[in-house]
Amino acid sequence: LPKIWGVDNGYLASEVTAVSTWFNAGNKFLWVGGESDFVEADGGQKTLDNQTLILEAVGSHVYLEPTAVQDPVSYAGASYRPVANNTGTDAFVADVVNGVDEVFVHSPTILYGSNSDTPGENVSAVALETTSIDDVYVLLQHGGNATIVDSDLTLPYAHEDGQKGEFVSATMEVEAGTANNSVIVVSGGNVIGHYWPLMEDAYDVKEGMDGLLFVSQAIDFGMKEAAPEVVITTDTDTTTDTTTDPGGPGLPIDTTTLILIGVGAVVVII
């Protein structure tokens, strides 16, 4: 789905239902990217509200904070263009963050966690940099100089305006959806199709970042994790292959595969 601006241009109920029905059928990979709530024409909080509709519909336990984060130390040209320079340490996602040192996230928000069916203000909301949630893995974090800079009347739910910390910028949730076998990635910045998405490796004078590597490894890992088990029967034995992609046993995931199976297996919402 494209990014949609404005309170009068939110996702239709039928669109939200279509995504949730598709996702909850099982063995799906979904990436929802956000941005800050910086006040601009028909943007900011309204965009975050639209993305929250999707995350709620698929039962996500990670959501986009209604705020903005800046970093006066790790950035590309300006503090509102922070570079996330910490990666998740759990061995489960080691293949996702292998070789990743810096990822550019233009004008982003940060993430919070919730076990509530109605996440947000006045309900359970936790800071993911200090609280863990089952099946949710941190992929990217900002450095300790990252600062929350709120610019509207809606304050962050699990954080405070002016707070500094190693805020979480991207997560992966596994065993998601009603079938308990789909995968959700949520990121505080958009992954593709944005003014300057996560997958870019250079901005202004800052070069040599690892956005494309991170995005490709996250999609590759997420697709394989969400893939159905493939039972291979021969004349002598039966084996279960859990490492292949939805295209079939033995088919590596590459750009061509993603194009071919994208409609049925992976959706990126920006």
Side-chain angles (χ1 to χ4, degrees):
L1 296 177
K3 181 175 70 174
I4 299 176
W5 295 103
V7 67
D8 296 326
N9 293 305
Y11 299 136
L12 299 175
S14 58
E15 293 174 324
V16 175
T17 299
V19 172
S20 64
T21 300
W22 166 83
F23 184 80
N24 286 318
N27 301 120
K28 300 299 191 297
F29 174 76
L30 174 69
W31 190 320
V32 177
E35 62 179 64
S36 75
D37 68 351
F38 180 76
V39 177
E40 56 186 36
D42 289 328
Q45 182 60 40
K46 299 169 186 177
T47 300
L48 295 177
D49 289 342
N50 283 336
Q51 304 302 63
T52 297
L53 290 175
I54 298 294
L55 291 169
E56 285 181 312
V58 298
S60 174
H61 293 91
V62 177
Y63 294 86
L64 303 162
E65 278 278 33
T67 195
V69 64
Q70 300 181 9
D71 193 324
V73 176
S74 180
Y75 62 84
S79 60
Y80 69 88
R81 306 169 187 160
V83 174
N85 52 14
N86 291 333
T87 56
T89 58
D90 194 289
F92 180 74
V93 292
D95 288 344
V96 179
V97 299
N98 182 39
V100 176
D101 294 315
E102 296 182 315
V103 177
F104 176 51
V105 278
H106 185 278
S107 187
T109 185
I110 57 177
L111 310 181
Y112 74 93
S114 177
N115 282 312
S116 172
D117 290 334
T118 54
E121 197 169 10
N122 298 323
V123 298
S124 175
V126 297
L128 291 169
E129 61 271 17
T130 57
T131 305
S132 61
I133 295 179
D134 289 346
D135 299 320
V136 171
Y137 297 89
V138 172
L139 300 180
L140 290 178
Q141 289 183 254
H142 295 280
N145 292 295
T147 306
I148 294 175
V149 182
D150 211 274
S151 58
D152 63 7
L153 297 178
T154 303
L155 295 175
Y157 299 135
H159 300 86
E160 296 181 358
D161 188 17
Q163 181 179 345
K164 290 186 177 182
E166 297 181 349
F167 306 120
V168 174
S169 182
T171 60
M172 176 178 287
E173 181 173 357
V174 300
E175 298 185 12
T178 55
N180 297 316
N181 57 17
S182 291
V183 175
I184 308 171
V185 171
V186 183
S187 57
N190 269 307
V191 55
I192 59 175
H194 193 254
Y195 165 67
W196 217 267
L198 291 177
M199 62 188 298
E200 295 289 349
D201 289 340
Y203 188 90
D204 200 356
V205 297
K206 182 75 171 177
E207 298 181 349
M209 293 178 284
D210 309 302
L212 182 58
L213 177 65
F214 168 69
V215 170
S216 61
Q217 288 181 169
I219 291 176
D220 183 68
F221 183 91
M223 290 286 289
K224 290 176 180 177
E225 186 66 23
E229 292 183 348
V230 178
V231 178
I232 305 171
T233 303
T234 67
D235 292 338
T236 57
D237 61 8
T238 299
T239 61
T240 300
D241 184 348
T242 61
T243 63
T244 53
D245 67 62
L251 297 179
I253 294 179
D254 57 22
T255 304
T256 303
T257 305
L258 289 177
I259 292 172
L260 291 174
I261 67 177
V263 174
V266 58
V267 166
V268 177
I269 298 178
I270 60 175

